[in-house]
Amino acid sequence: MTTKQKQSRWYFGGLASAGAACCTHPLDLIKVTLQTQQGKLSVLQLVPNIIREQGVLAFYSGLSASMLRQLTYSTTRFGVYEVGKEYIKTDTFAGKIALAGLSGLAGGIVGTPADMVNVRMQNDVKLPPEQRRNYKNAIDGLIKVYRQEGFARLFSGATTATGRGILMTIGQIAFYDQTKVYLLATPYFQDNLMTHFTASLVAGAIATTLTQPLDVLKTRSMNAKPGEYSGLWDIVRHTAKLGPMGFFKGYIPAFVRLGPHTVITFVFLEQLRLNFGYVKSS
């Protein structure tokens, strides 16, 4: 994410991620619905069901929460990574991983409340009308969770969300940076759109593989009714009943969503950097 010419400003990552979320939100909704169902509906069966029962606009259910999540979670992790470069050397891959892990830890904690509301709003489309939470928007969801379930409930799933945030940030930011370094070291790539696209596609594939098991557990935890699970281990055992692949449930839609999301995020981010970044004074 850096060049000798221009640096990213700390908030560029959050803006880029929010822009990407607008493009990929329907894919995220399909992923969440697949992960929370205990049945065997495939993507090809699920999509027509949602359209028939809820209409096309249902695919943008929870968009406000998705935006809020990116503006908290991603702004924090990208911001910590950018600012952290001043204190932690990232000229080695180990340095990039260490800083990305720290950034993901901070982002996971900050982003958990909006993430939980996001999961619930997306999952509403497949619930019977009498069981839906019917949050008007992300802020309404946060207020209702606080009033009805208590402050601690806002951070339900924080353990898995934070673990996922660490792995996601390592997979996305650290691997993106390192892949970009390798590509620019060859005579075939320059600091342009093709390099940004290639590096971000690699990062998206790695991030999906690293985070999918925790993503499944996080989604189930956040969407659970109070008292449904006794703890994280109970969710693990419940998911394990589906077999080892239960932890990778929704992997294809997860990659179909995270791959484009990662690509769009870094393409937006690099354009912000190249056009609105700053030259670091020596």
Side-chain angles (χ1 to χ4, degrees):
M1 291 190 298
T2 62
T3 68
K4 293 180 180 178
Q5 289 75 37
K6 288 189 175 181
Q7 309 284 322
S8 260
R9 298 187 186 277
W10 66 269
Y11 53 86
F12 282 178
L15 294 177
S17 296
C22 290
C23 301
T24 62
H25 186 75
L27 298 172
D28 196 28
L29 181 138
I30 293 170
K31 179 204 70 173
V32 168
T33 307
L34 278 172
Q35 288 175 345
T36 53
Q37 66 166 355
Q38 195 70 10
K40 300 289 184 181
L41 279 182
S42 68
V43 177
L44 295 179
Q45 294 170 316
L46 189 65
V47 171
N49 274 1
I50 294 174
I51 294 174
R52 184 170 58 253
E53 295 172 10
Q54 304 292 327
V56 175
L57 290 180
F59 289 106
Y60 282 91
S61 175
L63 180 60
S64 63
S66 184
M67 294 291 290
L68 180 61
R69 176 176 179 264
Q70 293 303 333
L71 291 173
T72 52
Y73 165 68
S74 287
T75 299
T76 301
R77 63 196 187 108
F78 276 95
V80 171
Y81 190 82
E82 284 299 327
V83 175
K85 288 178 180 178
E86 300 290 329
Y87 307 97
I88 299 176
K89 290 185 177 180
T90 56
D91 50 352
T92 65
F93 190 35
K96 291 182 178 71
I97 288 178
L99 181 55
L102 181 63
S103 304
L105 174 66
I109 295 170
V110 172
T112 294
D115 195 9
M116 185 189 70
V117 173
N118 182 39
V119 167
R120 288 185 171 190
M121 289 179 73
Q122 290 177 347
N123 194 55
D124 251 14
V125 300
K126 76 177 185 63
L127 294 175
E130 66 275 8
Q131 294 181 20
R132 290 176 192 164
R133 296 180 171 96
N134 294 319
Y135 300 148
K136 296 175 185 177
N137 51 55
I139 303 301
D140 179 56
L142 290 173
I143 293 171
K144 283 184 176 176
V145 172
Y146 173 72
R147 287 178 176 173
Q148 296 170 6
E149 302 175 49
F151 178 78
R153 186 63 177 169
L154 288 169
F155 290 88
S156 171
T159 303
T160 49
T162 302
R164 179 184 179 276
I166 292 170
L167 294 174
M168 176 68 75
T169 308
I170 290 172
Q172 282 188 325
I173 301 180
F175 275 89
Y176 175 83
D177 260 6
Q178 194 63 30
T179 303
K180 186 178 165 187
V181 168
Y182 288 147
L183 293 176
L184 293 177
T186 72
Y188 309 107
F189 290 89
Q190 296 177 328
D191 191 8
N192 56 26
L193 183 60
M194 179 56 68
T195 301
H196 305 157
F197 176 85
T198 305
S200 58
L201 191 61
V202 171
I206 293 171
T208 304
T209 305
L210 287 176
T211 60
Q212 192 60 14
L214 278 176
D215 195 32
V216 171
L217 297 178
K218 180 209 72 171
T219 300
R220 284 179 174 265
S221 173
M222 289 180 170
N223 196 55
K225 300 178 181 67
E228 184 175 349
Y229 300 113
S230 59
L232 179 59
W233 182 243
D234 191 31
I235 303 175
V236 172
R237 286 189 301 170
H238 185 75
T239 307
K241 292 178 182 178
L242 301 172
M245 294 310 295
F247 293 97
F248 287 89
K249 195 169 187 177
Y251 181 88
I252 298 300
F255 175 71
V256 169
R257 175 255 169 187
L258 187 59
H261 185 274
T262 303
V263 170
I264 295 169
T265 296
F266 282 108
V267 167
F268 283 175
L269 177 60
E270 293 285 15
Q271 289 304 309
L272 287 170
R273 176 181 63 82
L274 291 172
N275 290 284
F276 303 105
Y278 66 97
V279 178
K280 186 177 180 181
S281 56
S282 53

